[in-house]
């Protein structure tokens, strides 16, 4: 994994990063994600096809943690993102992007990159009037457990 | 589809045109016969006289039951199917089509010509929510071509501007909008609204009302007796939510548009006091985007970017909803006054 580059699994996956925070939506699975720790930073670099070793190096220059610990955390993060179908291997031959880490002294402590998942959108499809239907019978049969709305 | 519509109009003896100003642009709903005219009540607050200019959007509407004319659906070839066949989206730009087999309806738009079509098999078989928020997908697609977007959000305000209330169902946005209506605030939406991210002369994006309606749960219906006179399906509340047409009870508070001052994410706390405190733009986007994108699919990437633009442009707050319900709209009005003062300092 260490030499790999990735890209966002578009068009199923869309994302926005604002002020160092990220939201990621998988339109195929109905799950959405919010980054915690240094997750948004790592997500931004991975989705820009920065190679994994360069991500680890950039984090090691920014945070107070051993490169081995950072590498293990990034590997675990990448495995999770891949498992959720948020990123896929990038085999194109374009030049690799380089990260722009924030360097401060003293280095802040390293917070594990985490992508918190929310899986309530399938419920949403049943809650909203547009979809307030039985998934078995279709329109106009109302879903038996459709709840309050707003 | 145009041929089908023309045949339907010939059968019933002509066309009925209704003009509306939607998101600030002239839109014509052209009916083959009167059967689908009840769909216009949700737009009554946007009605206008026929305009000399070419409409930005013309929607042709007809039904099979009264005209005998069906619709030639496009070849689907197993293209995008969603939600176990409940709806089928088909895009071959500039044409976008939504089939809803269960309710027997088809919506389509040609994004280049500005023509759209809405057909249903039988108006009597349409679900009640179709009358509260009609033509959602056509308007969603069309707004995207105008640089605006439809959002799953409530919107209330004052003379100085208003707020979006965002979040999934059950978060309190609908109840908050009804509380605002009862307290005298301006009302633009309880569920779906259009937003133009372009900054106006006051430096704000613009909220455009689409549907002058609300849908009340049984609890909301019980808690808002002053709205009962505007509910059109009071005899069917055992199987339907109450459909409220605001123009029937509070017409003066139903507004066409206002400047967007803030985005609020309501949260029910169980505590007595209502408090607004700042949250990050991404927190507001996380409350707004998922439900909007999954209910109004087809242009997700562009819509998410536009939503991000909106939450970057205005302050974003969590609205911790207290149990003193009368204090909720007061808190929102105070926040709006405060924001307006800040903007004029």
């Amino acid at each position: 994994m260490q030499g790999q580059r990735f890209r966002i699994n578009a068009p199923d996956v869309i994302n926005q990063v604002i002020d160092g925070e990220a939201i990621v939506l998988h339109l195929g699975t109905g799950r959405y994600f919010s980054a915690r720790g240094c997750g948004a930073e790592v997500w931004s670099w991975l989705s820009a096809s920065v190679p994994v070793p360069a991500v680890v190096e950039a984090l090691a220059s920014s945070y107070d943690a051993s490169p081995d610990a950072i590498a293990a955390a990034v590997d675990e993060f990448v495995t999770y993102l891949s498992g959720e179908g948020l990123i896929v291997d990038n085999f194109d031959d374009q030049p690799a992007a380089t990260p722009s880490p924030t360097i401060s002294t003293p280095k802040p402590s390293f917070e594990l990159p985490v992508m918190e998942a929310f899986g309530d959108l399938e419920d949403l499809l049943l809650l909203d009037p547009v979809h307030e239907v039985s998934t078995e019978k279709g329109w106009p049969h109302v879903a038996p457990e459709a709840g309050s709305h707003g | 589809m145009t041929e089908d519509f023309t045949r339907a109009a010939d059968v019933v003896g002509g066309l009925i045109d209704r003009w509306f100003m939607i998101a600030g642009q002239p839109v014509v709903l052209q009916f083959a016969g009167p059967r689908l005219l009840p769909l216009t009540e949700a737009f009554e607050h946007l009605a206008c006289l026929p305009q000399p200019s070419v409409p930005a959007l013309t929607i042709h509407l007809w039904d099979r039951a009264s005209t005998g004319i069906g619709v030639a659906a496009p070849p689907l070839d197993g293209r995008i199917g969603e939600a176990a066949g409940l709806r089928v989206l088909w895009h071959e730009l500039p044409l976008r089509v939504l089939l809803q087999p269960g309710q027997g309806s088809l919506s389509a738009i040609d994004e280049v010509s500005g023509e759209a079509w809405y057909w249903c098999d039988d108006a009597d078989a349409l679900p009640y929510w179709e009358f509260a928020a009609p033509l959602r997908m056509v308007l969603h697609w069309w707004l995207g071509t105008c640089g605006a977007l439809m959002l799953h959000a409530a919107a209330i305000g004052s003379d100085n501007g208003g707020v979006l209330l965002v979040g999934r169902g059950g978060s309190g946005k609908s109840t908050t909008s009804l509380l605002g209506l009862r307290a005298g605030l301006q009302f633009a939406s309880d569920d779906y609204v259009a937003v133009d991210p372009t900054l106006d002369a006051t430096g704000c994006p613009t909220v455009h009302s689409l549907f002058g309606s609300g849908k009340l749960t049984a609890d909301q219906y019980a808690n808002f007796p002053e709205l009962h006179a505007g509910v059109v399906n009071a005899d069917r509340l055992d199987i339907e939510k109450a459909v409220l047409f605001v123009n029937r009870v509070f017409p003066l508070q139903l507004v066409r548009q206002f400047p967007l001052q803030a985005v609020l994410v309501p949260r029910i706390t169980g505590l007595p006091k209502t408090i607004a405190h700042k949250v990050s733009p991404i927190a507001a986007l996380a409350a707004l985007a998922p439900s909007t994108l999954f209910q109004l699919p087809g242009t997700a990437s562009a819509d998410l970017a536009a939503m991000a633009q909106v939450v970057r442009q205005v302050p974003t707050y969590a609205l911790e909803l207290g149990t003193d319900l009368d204090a909720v709209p007061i808190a929102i009005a105070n926040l709006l006054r405060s924001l307006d003062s800040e903007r004029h300092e």
Side-chain angles (χ1 to χ4, degrees), chain B residues 137-184:
Chain B
M137 286 301 288
V138 166
L139 294 174
H140 160 57
W141 292 323
W142 172 69
L143 287 164
T145 68
C146 305
L149 74 163
M150 191 187 293
L151 299 177
H152 179 225
I156 55 176
S158 66
D159 288 340
N160 299 321
V163 297
L164 289 181
L165 300 157
V166 303
R168 57 166 294 168
S171 63
K173 64 181 190 303
S174 177
T175 299
T176 303
S177 68
L178 296 174
L179 289 168
L181 180 63
R182 182 166 72 181

Side-chain angles (χ1 to χ4, degrees), chain B residues 10-266:
Chain B
D10 289 343
V11 168
V12 295
L15 301 171
I16 303 169
D17 285 358
R18 293 284 186 271
W19 285 73
F20 302 92
M21 198 61 74
I22 298 180
Q25 301 198 59
V27 173
V28 175
L29 272 56
Q30 189 169 71
F31 295 86
R35 192 63 192 85
L36 290 175
L37 280 174
L39 291 174
T40 61
E41 177 150 12
F43 302 114
E44 277 307 311
H45 63 306
L46 307 176
C48 66
L49 296 171
Q51 302 291 300
S53 58
V54 175
L57 175 68
T58 301
I59 308 175
H60 310 284
L61 303 97
W62 78 106
D63 70 298
R64 184 205 53 80
S66 73
T67 69
I69 306 299
V71 66
L76 295 173
D77 301 335
R79 287 183 175 88
I80 309 166
E82 294 198 3
L86 297 176
R87 62 181 182 181
V88 181
L89 285 164
W90 181 75
H91 306 297
E92 190 167 298
L93 296 178
L95 192 65
R96 294 184 187 274
V97 179
L98 169 71
L99 280 174
Q100 295 173 280
Q103 71 179 40
S105 71
L106 179 146
S107 303
I109 190 170
D110 181 329
E111 293 188 344
V112 169
S113 70
E115 284 198 282
W117 300 265
Y118 179 84
W119 171 89
C120 73
D121 185 63
D122 182 356
D124 287 337
L126 289 176
Y128 66 94
W129 56 77
E130 198 73 358
F131 295 90
L135 305 171
R136 279 183 310 278
M137 286 301 288
V138 166
L139 294 174
H140 160 57
W141 292 323
W142 172 69
L143 287 164
T145 68
C146 305
L149 74 163
M150 191 187 293
L151 299 177
H152 179 225
I156 55 176
S158 66
D159 288 340
N160 299 321
V163 297
L164 289 181
L165 300 157
V166 303
R168 57 166 294 168
S171 63
K173 64 181 190 303
S174 177
T175 299
T176 303
S177 68
L178 296 174
L179 289 168
L181 180 63
R182 182 166 72 181
L185 293 181
Q186 295 179 350
F187 179 94
S189 159
D190 87 323
D191 213 5
Y192 299 98
V193 71
V195 172
D196 182 348
T198 309
L199 300 182
D200 66 8
T202 67
C204 296
T206 302
V207 172
H208 294 278
S209 176
L210 294 172
F211 312 114
S213 61
K215 292 180 297 300
L216 283 65
T217 63
D219 283 347
Q220 289 168 332
Y221 185 78
N223 291 331
F224 291 92
E226 53 277 89
L227 301 179
H228 289 187
V231 170
V232 295
N233 59 342
D235 57 330
R236 297 188 297 281
L237 299 187
D238 53 333
I239 54 171
E240 299 176 357
K241 287 182 182 176
V243 174
L244 163 74
F245 286 112
V246 176
N247 62 315
R248 295 190 180 203
V249 278
F250 294 109
L252 299 180
Q253 290 169 238
L254 195 51
V255 294
R256 291 185 171 191
Q257 64 185 63
F258 51 57
L260 176 61
Q261 295 257 29
V263 175
L264 310 186
V265 184

